Amino acid sequence: MRVAVEPSLQADDYPFSHRIRVRFAETDAMAVVHHGRYFPYLEAARVEYLRHLGHPYTEWREAGIDAAVLEVFAQYRQALRFDDVVDVHVRLAVVTRATFQMAYLLTRDGDAVATGVTVHGAVTADGRPTRLPRWLVEMGAS
Amino acid sequence: MRVAVEPSLQADDYPFSHRIRVRFAETDAMAVVHHGRYFPYLEAARVEYLRHLGHPYTEWREAGIDAAVLEVFAQYRQALRFDDVVDVHVRLAVVTRATFQMAYLLTRDGDAVATGVTVHGAVTADGRPTRLPRWLVEMGAS
Amino acid sequence: MRVAVEPSLQADDYPFSHRIRVRFAETDAMAVVHHGRYFPYLEAARVEYLRHLGHPYTEWREAGIDAAVLEVFAQYRQALRFDDVVDVHVRLAVVTRATFQMAYLLTRDGDAVATGVTVHGAVTADGRPTRLPRWLVEMGAS
Amino acid sequence: MRVAVEPSLQADDYPFSHRIRVRFAETDAMAVVHHGRYFPYLEAARVEYLRHLGHPYTEWREAGIDAAVLEVFAQYRQALRFDDVVDVHVRLAVVTRATFQMAYLLTRDGDAVATGVTVHGAVTADGRPTRLPRWLVEMGAS
Protein backbone atom coordinates (compact mmCIF):
# COMPACT_ATOMS: atom_id res chain seq x y z
CA MET A 1 0.00 0.00 0.00
CA ARG A 2 1.40 3.36 -1.05
CA VAL A 3 -1.14 5.44 0.90
CA ALA A 4 1.05 7.30 3.40
CA VAL A 5 -1.16 10.05 4.77
CA GLU A 6 -3.63 10.19 7.60
CA PRO A 7 -5.81 13.11 6.49
CA SER A 8 -6.28 15.82 9.08
CA LEU A 9 -9.77 16.44 10.46
CA GLN A 10 -9.05 20.18 10.67
CA ALA A 11 -10.26 22.15 7.66
CA ASP A 12 -7.54 24.73 8.38
CA ASP A 13 -4.92 22.20 7.35
CA TYR A 14 -6.14 22.33 3.75
CA PRO A 15 -5.32 25.21 1.38
CA PHE A 16 -8.36 24.79 -0.86
CA SER A 17 -11.92 23.60 -0.79
CA HIS A 18 -14.63 22.94 -3.33
CA ARG A 19 -18.32 22.99 -2.49
CA ILE A 20 -20.75 20.49 -3.93
CA ARG A 21 -24.38 19.65 -3.27
CA VAL A 22 -25.44 16.01 -3.08
CA ARG A 23 -27.59 14.99 -6.03
CA PHE A 24 -30.49 12.62 -5.59
CA ALA A 25 -28.92 10.30 -8.17
CA GLU A 26 -25.91 9.90 -5.87
CA THR A 27 -27.89 8.36 -3.01
CA ASP A 28 -28.61 4.65 -2.62
CA ALA A 29 -31.33 2.56 -1.00
CA MET A 30 -29.88 3.30 2.46
CA ALA A 31 -30.81 6.93 1.64
CA VAL A 32 -27.16 7.97 1.86
CA VAL A 33 -24.52 8.75 -0.74
CA HIS A 34 -23.13 5.44 -1.98
CA HIS A 35 -19.54 4.95 -0.82
CA GLY A 36 -18.22 4.69 -4.37
CA ARG A 37 -19.69 8.06 -5.30
CA TYR A 38 -17.39 9.97 -2.99
CA PHE A 39 -14.58 9.50 -5.51
CA PRO A 40 -16.15 11.75 -8.14
CA TYR A 41 -16.42 14.34 -5.35
CA LEU A 42 -12.72 14.02 -4.52
CA GLU A 43 -11.93 14.18 -8.23
CA ALA A 44 -14.01 17.32 -8.73
CA ALA A 45 -12.20 19.00 -5.82
CA ARG A 46 -8.83 17.91 -7.24
CA VAL A 47 -9.74 19.32 -10.66
CA GLU A 48 -10.76 22.66 -9.13
CA TYR A 49 -7.64 22.78 -6.99
CA LEU A 50 -5.40 22.22 -10.02
CA ARG A 51 -7.28 24.97 -11.85
CA HIS A 52 -6.81 27.24 -8.84
CA LEU A 53 -3.08 26.49 -8.94
CA GLY A 54 -2.96 27.60 -12.57
CA HIS A 55 -2.42 24.08 -13.89
CA PRO A 56 -5.86 22.88 -14.98
CA TYR A 57 -6.22 19.20 -15.69
CA THR A 58 -7.16 19.99 -19.29
CA GLU A 59 -3.63 21.43 -19.65
CA TRP A 60 -2.22 18.10 -18.50
CA ARG A 61 -4.31 16.24 -21.01
CA GLU A 62 -3.34 18.57 -23.83
CA ALA A 63 0.29 17.91 -22.91
CA GLY A 64 -0.41 14.21 -23.27
CA ILE A 65 -0.12 13.47 -19.56
CA ASP A 66 -2.75 11.86 -17.42
CA ALA A 67 -2.63 11.60 -13.66
CA ALA A 68 -3.53 7.92 -13.40
CA VAL A 69 -5.05 6.86 -10.10
CA LEU A 70 -2.87 4.19 -8.49
CA GLU A 71 -4.61 3.85 -5.14
CA VAL A 72 -7.54 5.33 -3.26
CA PHE A 73 -8.62 5.26 0.35
CA ALA A 74 -11.71 6.67 2.02
CA GLN A 75 -13.05 6.69 5.55
CA TYR A 76 -16.75 7.38 6.13
CA ARG A 77 -17.52 9.03 9.47
CA GLN A 78 -21.06 10.34 8.98
CA ALA A 79 -23.53 9.61 6.21
CA LEU A 80 -24.17 12.17 3.50
CA ARG A 81 -27.76 12.61 2.38
CA PHE A 82 -29.64 14.10 -0.54
CA ASP A 83 -29.29 17.87 -0.83
CA ASP A 84 -26.49 18.10 1.74
CA VAL A 85 -23.95 20.83 1.04
CA VAL A 86 -20.45 19.43 1.35
CA ASP A 87 -17.10 21.17 1.38
CA VAL A 88 -14.34 19.01 -0.04
CA HIS A 89 -11.03 20.25 1.36
CA VAL A 90 -7.93 19.15 -0.51
CA ARG A 91 -4.17 19.38 -0.16
CA LEU A 92 -1.10 18.00 -1.89
CA ALA A 93 0.25 15.66 0.77
CA VAL A 94 3.17 13.67 -0.63
CA VAL A 95 5.30 14.01 -3.77
CA THR A 96 7.86 11.44 -4.84
CA ARG A 97 9.70 11.36 -8.16
CA ALA A 98 6.96 9.40 -9.91
CA THR A 99 3.86 9.76 -7.76
CA PHE A 100 1.91 12.24 -5.69
CA GLN A 101 -0.75 11.90 -3.03
CA MET A 102 -3.69 14.16 -2.34
CA ALA A 103 -5.46 14.22 1.03
CA TYR A 104 -9.10 15.20 1.46
CA LEU A 105 -11.48 16.17 4.23
CA LEU A 106 -15.22 16.41 3.63
CA THR A 107 -17.17 18.65 5.97
CA ARG A 108 -20.86 19.52 6.34
CA ASP A 109 -21.64 22.60 8.40
CA GLY A 110 -18.05 22.41 9.56
CA ASP A 111 -18.28 18.82 10.83
CA ALA A 112 -15.94 16.19 9.44
CA VAL A 113 -17.98 13.60 7.55
CA ALA A 114 -15.29 11.73 5.60
CA THR A 115 -11.63 11.71 4.68
CA GLY A 116 -9.79 10.33 1.69
CA VAL A 117 -6.46 9.86 -0.02
CA THR A 118 -5.72 9.41 -3.71
CA VAL A 119 -2.34 8.31 -5.05
CA HIS A 120 -1.45 9.28 -8.59
CA GLY A 121 1.25 8.61 -11.12
CA ALA A 122 1.88 10.54 -14.33
CA VAL A 123 1.31 8.46 -17.46
CA THR A 124 1.50 9.21 -21.17
CA ALA A 125 -1.58 8.98 -23.40
CA ASP A 126 -0.79 5.31 -24.05
CA GLY A 127 -0.49 4.55 -20.37
CA ARG A 128 3.27 4.43 -19.78
CA PRO A 129 4.68 6.05 -16.62
CA THR A 130 6.35 9.41 -17.18
CA ARG A 131 7.80 12.24 -15.06
CA LEU A 132 5.63 14.43 -12.94
CA PRO A 133 5.31 18.04 -14.11
CA ARG A 134 8.14 20.15 -12.65
CA TRP A 135 5.81 22.59 -10.87
CA LEU A 136 4.29 19.70 -8.96
CA VAL A 137 7.66 18.35 -7.84
CA GLU A 138 8.66 21.85 -6.73
CA MET A 139 5.40 22.35 -4.92
CA GLY A 140 5.92 19.08 -3.07
CA ALA A 141 9.44 20.14 -2.06
CA SER A 142 8.36 23.46 -0.59
CA MET B 1 -38.21 13.76 -32.07
CA ARG B 2 -36.89 10.85 -34.09
CA VAL B 3 -38.19 8.14 -31.75
CA ALA B 4 -40.65 6.24 -33.94
CA VAL B 5 -41.33 3.02 -32.07
CA GLU B 6 -43.77 2.07 -29.38
CA PRO B 7 -42.00 -0.91 -27.83
CA SER B 8 -44.10 -4.04 -27.53
CA LEU B 9 -44.94 -5.37 -24.06
CA GLN B 10 -44.68 -8.96 -25.34
CA ALA B 11 -41.31 -10.57 -24.77
CA ASP B 12 -41.98 -12.82 -27.80
CA ASP B 13 -41.66 -9.81 -30.07
CA TYR B 14 -37.95 -9.53 -29.26
CA PRO B 15 -35.32 -11.84 -30.76
CA PHE B 16 -32.80 -11.51 -27.94
CA SER B 17 -32.60 -10.86 -24.24
CA HIS B 18 -29.87 -10.18 -21.74
CA ARG B 19 -30.22 -10.91 -18.03
CA ILE B 20 -28.86 -8.59 -15.40
CA ARG B 21 -29.18 -8.42 -11.63
CA VAL B 22 -29.75 -5.03 -9.99
CA ARG B 23 -26.72 -3.88 -8.01
CA PHE B 24 -27.14 -2.05 -4.73
CA ALA B 25 -25.12 0.85 -6.17
CA GLU B 26 -27.82 1.31 -8.83
CA THR B 27 -30.59 2.08 -6.34
CA ASP B 28 -31.43 5.53 -5.00
CA ALA B 29 -32.98 6.93 -1.82
CA MET B 30 -36.44 5.87 -3.02
CA ALA B 31 -35.01 2.31 -2.78
CA VAL B 32 -35.53 1.79 -6.51
CA VAL B 33 -33.20 1.81 -9.48
CA HIS B 34 -32.63 5.44 -10.45
CA HIS B 35 -34.28 6.25 -13.77
CA GLY B 36 -31.00 7.27 -15.39
CA ARG B 37 -29.43 3.91 -14.58
CA TYR B 38 -31.71 2.01 -16.91
CA PHE B 39 -29.65 3.27 -19.86
CA PRO B 40 -26.55 1.27 -18.94
CA TYR B 41 -28.89 -1.75 -18.80
CA LEU B 42 -30.20 -1.03 -22.31
CA GLU B 43 -26.65 -0.49 -23.49
CA ALA B 44 -25.44 -3.77 -21.99
CA ALA B 45 -28.28 -5.62 -23.74
CA ARG B 46 -27.47 -3.84 -27.03
CA VAL B 47 -23.80 -4.80 -26.69
CA GLU B 48 -24.69 -8.45 -26.08
CA TYR B 49 -27.16 -8.46 -28.96
CA LEU B 50 -24.54 -7.12 -31.37
CA ARG B 51 -22.11 -9.76 -30.13
CA HIS B 52 -24.81 -12.41 -30.67
CA LEU B 53 -25.29 -11.14 -34.23
CA GLY B 54 -21.57 -11.62 -34.88
CA HIS B 55 -20.84 -7.89 -34.98
CA PRO B 56 -19.53 -7.03 -31.53
CA TYR B 57 -19.31 -3.38 -30.65
CA THR B 58 -15.55 -3.70 -30.22
CA GLU B 59 -15.43 -4.55 -33.96
CA TRP B 60 -17.21 -1.28 -34.69
CA ARG B 61 -14.76 0.65 -32.59
CA GLU B 62 -11.77 -1.05 -34.21
CA ALA B 63 -13.24 -0.04 -37.59
CA GLY B 64 -13.31 3.55 -36.35
CA ILE B 65 -17.08 3.71 -36.12
CA ASP B 66 -19.09 4.58 -33.06
CA ALA B 67 -22.83 4.24 -32.74
CA ALA B 68 -23.50 7.66 -31.25
CA VAL B 69 -26.69 7.96 -29.25
CA LEU B 70 -28.94 10.62 -30.80
CA GLU B 71 -32.05 10.15 -28.69
CA VAL B 72 -33.33 8.00 -25.86
CA PHE B 73 -36.74 7.33 -24.43
CA ALA B 74 -37.80 5.25 -21.45
CA GLN B 75 -41.09 4.47 -19.78
CA TYR B 76 -41.09 3.17 -16.20
CA ARG B 77 -44.05 0.91 -15.36
CA GLN B 78 -42.93 -0.78 -12.15
CA ALA B 79 -40.01 0.01 -9.89
CA LEU B 80 -36.90 -2.16 -9.95
CA ARG B 81 -35.30 -2.92 -6.61
CA PHE B 82 -31.99 -4.16 -5.30
CA ASP B 83 -31.21 -7.76 -6.27
CA ASP B 84 -34.05 -7.99 -8.80
CA VAL B 85 -33.28 -10.18 -11.80
CA VAL B 86 -34.22 -8.35 -14.98
CA ASP B 87 -34.43 -9.58 -18.55
CA VAL B 88 -33.69 -6.86 -21.05
CA HIS B 89 -35.28 -7.81 -24.37
CA VAL B 90 -34.01 -5.99 -27.42
CA ARG B 91 -34.78 -5.74 -31.12
CA LEU B 92 -33.69 -3.69 -34.08
CA ALA B 93 -36.77 -1.63 -34.77
CA VAL B 94 -36.05 0.96 -37.46
CA VAL B 95 -33.18 1.45 -39.92
CA THR B 96 -32.81 4.48 -42.14
CA ARG B 97 -29.78 5.37 -44.26
CA ALA B 98 -28.01 7.15 -41.43
CA THR B 99 -29.70 6.01 -38.22
CA PHE B 100 -31.12 2.98 -36.50
CA GLN B 101 -33.45 2.51 -33.56
CA MET B 102 -33.45 -0.22 -30.96
CA ALA B 103 -36.53 -1.06 -28.88
CA TYR B 104 -36.35 -2.62 -25.43
CA LEU B 105 -38.63 -4.34 -22.97
CA LEU B 106 -37.54 -5.03 -19.41
CA THR B 107 -39.28 -7.87 -17.60
CA ARG B 108 -39.06 -9.29 -14.09
CA ASP B 109 -40.55 -12.75 -13.61
CA GLY B 110 -42.17 -12.24 -16.99
CA ASP B 111 -43.89 -8.97 -16.05
CA ALA B 112 -43.20 -5.84 -18.07
CA VAL B 113 -41.46 -3.29 -15.85
CA ALA B 114 -40.15 -0.78 -18.38
CA THR B 115 -39.70 -0.09 -22.07
CA GLY B 116 -37.19 2.00 -23.95
CA VAL B 117 -35.99 3.21 -27.32
CA THR B 118 -32.53 4.35 -28.36
CA VAL B 119 -31.79 6.11 -31.64
CA HIS B 120 -28.28 5.86 -33.02
CA GLY B 121 -26.23 7.30 -35.83
CA ALA B 122 -22.89 6.02 -37.08
CA VAL B 123 -20.05 8.46 -36.53
CA THR B 124 -16.32 8.37 -37.18
CA ALA B 125 -13.79 8.50 -34.36
CA ASP B 126 -13.76 12.31 -34.63
CA GLY B 127 -17.50 12.50 -34.42
CA ARG B 128 -18.59 13.07 -38.02
CA PRO B 129 -21.63 11.18 -39.35
CA THR B 130 -20.82 8.23 -41.58
CA ARG B 131 -22.67 5.34 -43.26
CA LEU B 132 -24.17 2.53 -41.25
CA PRO B 133 -22.47 -0.85 -41.64
CA ARG B 134 -23.96 -2.73 -44.62
CA TRP B 135 -25.07 -5.72 -42.54
CA LEU B 136 -27.16 -3.43 -40.37
CA VAL B 137 -28.87 -1.81 -43.35
CA GLU B 138 -29.59 -5.27 -44.78
CA MET B 139 -30.90 -6.51 -41.49
CA GLY B 140 -33.23 -3.54 -41.28
CA ALA B 141 -34.50 -4.25 -44.80
CA SER B 142 -35.32 -7.88 -44.10
CA MET C 1 -45.93 7.59 -24.70
CA ARG C 2 -47.00 10.43 -22.43
CA VAL C 3 -44.21 12.79 -23.50
CA ALA C 4 -46.10 15.69 -25.07
CA VAL C 5 -43.57 18.49 -25.34
CA GLU C 6 -41.04 19.42 -27.96
CA PRO C 7 -38.58 21.43 -25.86
CA SER C 8 -37.74 24.85 -27.24
CA LEU C 9 -34.18 25.55 -28.37
CA GLN C 10 -34.46 29.15 -27.10
CA ALA C 11 -33.11 29.69 -23.61
CA ASP C 12 -35.52 32.62 -23.23
CA ASP C 13 -38.42 30.21 -23.19
CA TYR C 14 -37.28 28.84 -19.84
CA PRO C 15 -37.83 30.68 -16.52
CA PHE C 16 -34.91 29.09 -14.68
CA SER C 17 -31.49 27.61 -15.29
CA HIS C 18 -28.94 25.72 -13.24
CA ARG C 19 -25.24 25.69 -14.08
CA ILE C 20 -23.16 22.56 -13.76
CA ARG C 21 -19.62 21.67 -14.76
CA VAL C 22 -18.97 18.26 -16.34
CA ARG C 23 -17.02 15.96 -14.03
CA PHE C 24 -14.40 13.62 -15.42
CA ALA C 25 -16.26 10.69 -13.87
CA GLU C 26 -19.25 11.53 -16.08
CA THR C 27 -17.39 10.98 -19.36
CA ASP C 28 -17.09 7.64 -21.16
CA ALA C 29 -14.57 6.04 -23.50
CA MET C 30 -15.86 8.19 -26.40
CA ALA C 31 -14.55 11.11 -24.28
CA VAL C 32 -18.05 12.56 -24.00
CA VAL C 33 -20.64 12.58 -21.24
CA HIS C 34 -22.43 9.23 -21.32
CA HIS C 35 -26.03 9.63 -22.50
CA GLY C 36 -27.44 8.18 -19.29
CA ARG C 37 -25.63 10.75 -17.18
CA TYR C 38 -27.65 13.65 -18.53
CA PHE C 39 -30.56 12.58 -16.32
CA PRO C 40 -28.81 13.47 -13.07
CA TYR C 41 -28.18 16.89 -14.68
CA LEU C 42 -31.87 17.32 -15.48
CA GLU C 43 -32.72 16.14 -11.97
CA ALA C 44 -30.30 18.61 -10.36
CA ALA C 45 -31.85 21.45 -12.37
CA ARG C 46 -35.35 20.30 -11.41
CA VAL C 47 -34.36 20.19 -7.73
CA GLU C 48 -32.95 23.71 -7.90
CA TYR C 49 -35.99 25.00 -9.76
CA LEU C 50 -38.34 23.60 -7.12
CA ARG C 51 -36.19 25.20 -4.42
CA HIS C 52 -36.34 28.49 -6.34
CA LEU C 53 -40.15 28.18 -6.46
CA GLY C 54 -40.22 27.84 -2.67
CA HIS C 55 -41.18 24.17 -2.77
CA PRO C 56 -37.93 22.28 -2.31
CA TYR C 57 -37.99 18.58 -3.03
CA THR C 58 -37.05 17.84 0.58
CA GLU C 59 -40.41 19.42 1.54
CA TRP C 60 -42.17 16.95 -0.75
CA ARG C 61 -40.35 14.05 0.81
CA GLU C 62 -41.13 15.24 4.33
CA ALA C 63 -44.78 15.39 3.28
CA GLY C 64 -44.54 11.78 2.21
CA ILE C 65 -44.80 12.51 -1.49
CA ASP C 66 -42.30 11.57 -4.15
CA ALA C 67 -42.36 12.76 -7.72
CA ALA C 68 -41.88 9.38 -9.38
CA VAL C 69 -40.41 9.48 -12.87
CA LEU C 70 -42.85 7.88 -15.33
CA GLU C 71 -41.07 8.66 -18.60
CA VAL C 72 -37.95 10.39 -19.84
CA PHE C 73 -36.80 11.58 -23.23
CA ALA C 74 -33.54 13.15 -24.30
CA GLN C 75 -32.13 14.36 -27.58
CA TYR C 76 -28.36 14.80 -27.93
CA ARG C 77 -27.33 17.49 -30.41
CA GLN C 78 -23.69 18.11 -29.54
CA ALA C 79 -21.38 16.12 -27.31
CA LEU C 80 -20.51 17.38 -23.84
CA ARG C 81 -16.93 16.95 -22.73
CA PHE C 82 -14.95 16.99 -19.50
CA ASP C 83 -14.88 20.38 -17.80
CA ASP C 84 -17.59 21.88 -20.02
CA VAL C 85 -19.80 24.41 -18.29
CA VAL C 86 -23.44 23.62 -19.02
CA ASP C 87 -26.58 25.62 -18.32
CA VAL C 88 -29.59 23.42 -17.77
CA HIS C 89 -32.71 25.45 -18.50
CA VAL C 90 -35.96 24.10 -17.15
CA ARG C 91 -39.65 24.86 -17.29
CA LEU C 92 -42.88 23.28 -16.16
CA ALA C 93 -44.45 22.29 -19.47
CA VAL C 94 -47.60 20.26 -18.88
CA VAL C 95 -49.74 19.62 -15.79
CA THR C 96 -52.61 17.15 -15.71
CA ARG C 97 -54.52 16.02 -12.63
CA ALA C 98 -52.07 13.25 -11.82
CA THR C 99 -48.89 14.05 -13.74
CA PHE C 100 -46.62 16.89 -14.74
CA GLN C 101 -43.96 17.28 -17.41
CA MET C 102 -40.75 19.28 -17.25
CA ALA C 103 -38.92 20.42 -20.38
CA TYR C 104 -35.18 21.06 -20.48
CA LEU C 105 -32.65 22.75 -22.73
CA LEU C 106 -28.92 22.32 -22.16
CA THR C 107 -26.67 25.04 -23.51
CA ARG C 108 -22.91 25.56 -23.62
CA ASP C 109 -21.76 29.07 -24.35
CA GLY C 110 -25.32 29.77 -25.43
CA ASP C 111 -25.45 26.92 -27.97
CA ALA C 112 -28.10 24.23 -27.65
CA VAL C 113 -26.41 20.91 -26.92
CA ALA C 114 -29.33 18.77 -25.77
CA THR C 115 -33.00 18.80 -24.84
CA GLY C 116 -35.04 16.60 -22.55
CA VAL C 117 -38.45 15.91 -21.09
CA THR C 118 -39.32 14.17 -17.84
CA VAL C 119 -42.83 13.05 -16.94
CA HIS C 120 -43.68 12.70 -13.26
CA GLY C 121 -46.51 11.43 -11.12
CA ALA C 122 -46.97 12.05 -7.41
CA VAL C 123 -46.73 8.90 -5.31
CA THR C 124 -46.92 8.19 -1.60
CA ALA C 125 -43.94 6.78 0.31
CA ASP C 126 -45.15 3.25 -0.45
CA GLY C 127 -45.45 3.99 -4.15
CA ARG C 128 -49.19 4.53 -4.66
CA PRO C 129 -50.33 7.38 -6.93
CA THR C 130 -51.62 10.44 -5.11
CA ARG C 131 -52.70 14.00 -5.96
CA LEU C 132 -50.23 16.58 -7.14
CA PRO C 133 -49.55 19.42 -4.69
CA ARG C 134 -52.09 22.21 -5.18
CA TRP C 135 -49.47 24.87 -5.96
CA LEU C 136 -48.22 22.77 -8.85
CA VAL C 137 -51.71 22.34 -10.33
CA GLU C 138 -52.28 26.08 -10.01
CA MET C 139 -48.94 26.86 -11.56
CA GLY C 140 -49.79 24.62 -14.49
CA ALA C 141 -53.11 26.37 -14.96
CA SER C 142 -51.63 29.85 -15.08
CA MET D 1 -7.18 3.75 9.32
CA ARG D 2 -8.86 0.45 10.13
CA VAL D 3 -7.82 -1.30 6.90
CA ALA D 4 -5.64 -4.15 8.14
CA VAL D 5 -5.29 -6.47 5.17
CA GLU D 6 -2.91 -6.60 2.26
CA PRO D 7 -4.97 -8.55 -0.26
CA SER D 8 -3.23 -11.54 -1.77
CA LEU D 9 -2.47 -11.54 -5.49
CA GLN D 10 -3.17 -15.29 -5.67
CA ALA D 11 -6.68 -16.18 -6.72
CA ASP D 12 -6.32 -19.46 -4.80
CA ASP D 13 -6.36 -17.51 -1.56
CA TYR D 14 -9.99 -16.55 -2.11
CA PRO D 15 -12.91 -18.95 -1.54
CA PHE D 16 -15.32 -17.29 -3.97
CA SER D 17 -15.35 -15.26 -7.14
CA HIS D 18 -17.94 -13.39 -9.14
CA ARG D 19 -17.58 -12.69 -12.85
CA ILE D 20 -18.61 -9.38 -14.36
CA ARG D 21 -18.20 -7.84 -17.79
CA VAL D 22 -17.21 -4.18 -18.05
CA ARG D 23 -20.05 -2.02 -19.35
CA PHE D 24 -19.36 0.86 -21.69
CA ALA D 25 -21.07 3.21 -19.23
CA GLU D 26 -18.40 2.31 -16.67
CA THR D 27 -15.50 3.65 -18.74
CA ASP D 28 -14.24 7.23 -18.67
CA ALA D 29 -12.48 9.53 -21.13
CA MET D 30 -9.18 7.71 -20.50
CA ALA D 31 -11.00 4.70 -22.04
CA VAL D 32 -10.64 2.75 -18.80
CA VAL D 33 -13.01 1.92 -15.98
CA HIS D 34 -13.20 4.94 -13.70
CA HIS D 35 -11.52 4.23 -10.36
CA GLY D 36 -14.70 4.93 -8.40
CA ARG D 37 -16.64 2.34 -10.38
CA TYR D 38 -14.64 -0.56 -9.00
CA PHE D 39 -16.59 -0.28 -5.76
CA PRO D 40 -19.88 -1.42 -7.29
CA TYR D 41 -17.90 -4.42 -8.62
CA LEU D 42 -16.60 -5.23 -5.14
CA GLU D 43 -20.08 -4.78 -3.76
CA ALA D 44 -21.62 -7.09 -6.36
CA ALA D 45 -19.04 -9.77 -5.50
CA ARG D 46 -19.72 -9.29 -1.78
CA VAL D 47 -23.47 -9.64 -2.36
CA GLU D 48 -22.98 -12.86 -4.34
CA TYR D 49 -20.58 -14.24 -1.74
CA LEU D 50 -23.09 -13.63 1.06
CA ARG D 51 -25.77 -15.32 -1.03
CA HIS D 52 -23.40 -18.25 -1.61
CA LEU D 53 -22.87 -18.48 2.17
CA GLY D 54 -26.61 -18.75 2.68
CA HIS D 55 -26.92 -15.29 4.20
CA PRO D 56 -28.05 -13.05 1.37
CA TYR D 57 -27.84 -9.33 1.95
CA THR D 58 -31.62 -9.04 1.51
CA GLU D 59 -31.91 -11.24 4.66
CA TRP D 60 -29.78 -8.70 6.53
CA ARG D 61 -31.96 -5.87 5.37
CA GLU D 62 -35.16 -7.71 6.31
CA ALA D 63 -33.65 -8.23 9.78
CA GLY D 64 -33.16 -4.47 9.99
CA ILE D 65 -29.38 -4.65 9.77
CA ASP D 66 -27.23 -2.93 7.20
CA ALA D 67 -23.54 -3.53 6.70
CA ALA D 68 -22.45 0.10 6.59
CA VAL D 69 -19.20 0.78 4.77
CA LEU D 70 -16.71 2.39 7.17
CA GLU D 71 -13.61 2.41 4.98
CA VAL D 72 -12.55 1.36 1.50
CA PHE D 73 -9.18 0.91 -0.15
CA ALA D 74 -8.32 0.01 -3.72
CA GLN D 75 -5.10 -0.45 -5.64
CA TYR D 76 -5.15 -0.28 -9.44
CA ARG D 77 -2.46 -2.37 -11.13
CA GLN D 78 -3.68 -2.59 -14.72
CA ALA D 79 -6.46 -0.67 -16.44
CA LEU D 80 -9.78 -2.33 -17.15
CA ARG D 81 -11.40 -1.58 -20.49
CA PHE D 82 -14.78 -1.84 -22.10
CA ASP D 83 -15.99 -5.43 -22.54
CA ASP D 84 -13.25 -6.93 -20.35
CA VAL D 85 -14.31 -9.98 -18.40
CA VAL D 86 -13.26 -9.62 -14.79
CA ASP D 87 -13.26 -12.13 -11.96
CA VAL D 88 -13.74 -10.49 -8.58
CA HIS D 89 -12.35 -12.81 -5.93
CA VAL D 90 -13.47 -12.15 -2.38
CA ARG D 91 -12.75 -13.41 1.12
CA LEU D 92 -13.69 -12.53 4.67
CA ALA D 93 -10.39 -11.26 6.01
CA VAL D 94 -10.86 -9.81 9.49
CA VAL D 95 -13.72 -9.98 12.01
CA THR D 96 -13.80 -7.99 15.23
CA ARG D 97 -16.75 -7.65 17.60
CA ALA D 98 -18.25 -4.74 15.71
CA THR D 99 -16.63 -4.75 12.26
CA PHE D 100 -15.52 -7.05 9.48
CA GLN D 101 -13.18 -6.62 6.53
CA MET D 102 -13.46 -8.14 3.09
CA ALA D 103 -10.44 -8.47 0.79
CA TYR D 104 -10.72 -8.56 -2.99
CA LEU D 105 -8.59 -9.48 -5.97
CA LEU D 106 -9.68 -8.62 -9.50
CA THR D 107 -8.23 -10.75 -12.29
CA ARG D 108 -8.53 -10.69 -16.08
CA ASP D 109 -7.45 -13.86 -17.85
CA GLY D 110 -5.85 -14.86 -14.57
CA ASP D 111 -3.76 -11.68 -14.24
CA ALA D 112 -4.12 -9.49 -11.18
CA VAL D 113 -5.52 -6.13 -12.23
CA ALA D 114 -6.59 -4.63 -8.90
CA THR D 115 -7.04 -5.35 -5.21
CA GLY D 116 -9.33 -3.86 -2.62
CA VAL D 117 -10.45 -3.90 0.97
CA THR D 118 -13.79 -2.85 2.44
CA VAL D 119 -14.39 -2.39 6.16
CA HIS D 120 -17.94 -2.76 7.43
CA GLY D 121 -19.86 -2.27 10.61
CA ALA D 122 -23.36 -3.54 11.37
CA VAL D 123 -25.89 -0.76 11.86
CA THR D 124 -29.64 -0.70 12.52
CA ALA D 125 -32.06 0.79 10.02
CA ASP D 126 -31.68 4.19 11.69
CA GLY D 127 -27.92 4.03 11.50
CA ARG D 128 -26.85 3.05 15.01
CA PRO D 129 -24.06 0.47 15.45
CA THR D 130 -25.26 -2.99 16.43
CA ARG D 131 -23.78 -6.48 16.83
CA LEU D 132 -22.58 -8.47 13.87
CA PRO D 133 -24.67 -11.53 12.98
CA ARG D 134 -23.45 -14.55 15.00
CA TRP D 135 -22.64 -16.64 11.91
CA LEU D 136 -20.26 -13.95 10.73
CA VAL D 137 -18.45 -13.79 14.06
CA GLU D 138 -18.15 -17.58 14.06
CA MET D 139 -16.92 -17.63 10.50
CA GLY D 140 -14.28 -15.08 11.39
CA ALA D 141 -13.15 -17.19 14.36
CA SER D 142 -12.74 -20.37 12.32
Side-chain angles (χ1 to χ4, degrees), chain C residues 39-134:
Chain C
F39 294 100
Y41 294 176
L42 305 190
E43 184 175 68
R46 191 163 67 239
V47 163
E48 293 304 326
Y49 183 38
L50 291 173
R51 192 193 322 279
H52 167 79
L53 290 172
H55 298 285
Y57 197 53
T58 45
E59 173 192 290
W60 292 47
R61 288 176 63 83
E62 282 157 15
I65 303 180
D66 270 309
V69 177
L70 305 180
E71 291 187 1
V72 301
F73 168 75
Q75 184 179 70
Y76 309 93
R77 303 172 68 89
Q78 294 184 39
L80 287 177
R81 294 177 192 280
F82 169 56
D83 221 39
D84 280 355
V85 173
V86 184
D87 291 307
V88 185
H89 306 271
V90 56
R91 76 180 183 94
L92 180 64
V94 176
V95 180
T96 67
R97 207 163 40 152
T99 68
F100 63 97
Q101 305 196 9
M102 296 283 206
Y104 309 84
L105 167 68
L106 281 68
T107 58
R108 179 182 46 202
D109 296 334
D111 292 331
V113 293
T115 55
V117 180
T118 56
V119 183
H120 303 264
V123 293
T124 59
D126 52 341
R128 283 172 305 159
T130 186
R131 286 174 179 232
L132 293 182
R134 180 185 294 247

Side-chain angles (χ1 to χ4, degrees), chain B residues 49-50 53 55 60 67 92-102 120-122 131-142:
Chain B
Y49 183 38
L50 291 173
L53 290 171
H55 299 285
W60 292 46
L92 181 65
V94 177
V95 180
T96 67
R97 206 163 43 151
T99 68
F100 63 97
Q101 304 196 9
M102 296 282 206
H120 304 264
R131 283 169 182 238
L132 293 182
R134 179 185 294 248
W135 66 266
L136 187 61
V137 176
E138 288 170 354
M139 190 176 159
S142 65

Side-chain angles (χ1 to χ4, degrees), chain B residues 20-138:
Chain B
I20 59 108
R21 188 186 280 272
V22 171
R23 296 175 182 165
F24 192 77
E26 294 161 352
T27 58
D28 66 23
M30 287 173 74
V32 303
V33 175
H34 187 268
H35 59 278
R37 283 187 212 115
Y38 284 63
F39 294 100
Y41 294 176
L42 305 189
E43 184 176 68
R46 192 163 66 239
V47 163
E48 293 304 326
Y49 183 38
L50 291 173
R51 190 192 324 278
H52 168 78
L53 290 171
H55 299 285
Y57 196 54
T58 46
E59 173 192 291
W60 292 46
R61 287 176 64 82
E62 283 157 16
I65 304 181
D66 270 309
V69 177
L70 305 180
E71 291 186 1
V72 300
F73 168 74
Q75 183 179 71
Y76 309 94
R77 303 171 69 87
Q78 294 184 40
L80 287 177
R81 296 178 191 281
F82 168 55
D83 221 38
D84 279 355
V85 174
V86 184
D87 291 308
V88 185
H89 306 270
V90 56
R91 74 181 184 95
L92 181 65
V94 177
V95 180
T96 67
R97 206 163 43 151
T99 68
F100 63 97
Q101 304 196 9
M102 296 282 206
Y104 309 83
L105 167 68
L106 281 69
T107 58
R108 179 183 45 202
D109 295 333
D111 292 331
V113 293
T115 55
V117 180
T118 57
V119 183
H120 304 264
V123 294
T124 59
D126 53 340
R128 282 172 307 159
T130 186
R131 283 169 182 238
L132 293 182
R134 179 185 294 248
W135 66 266
L136 187 61
V137 176
E138 288 170 354

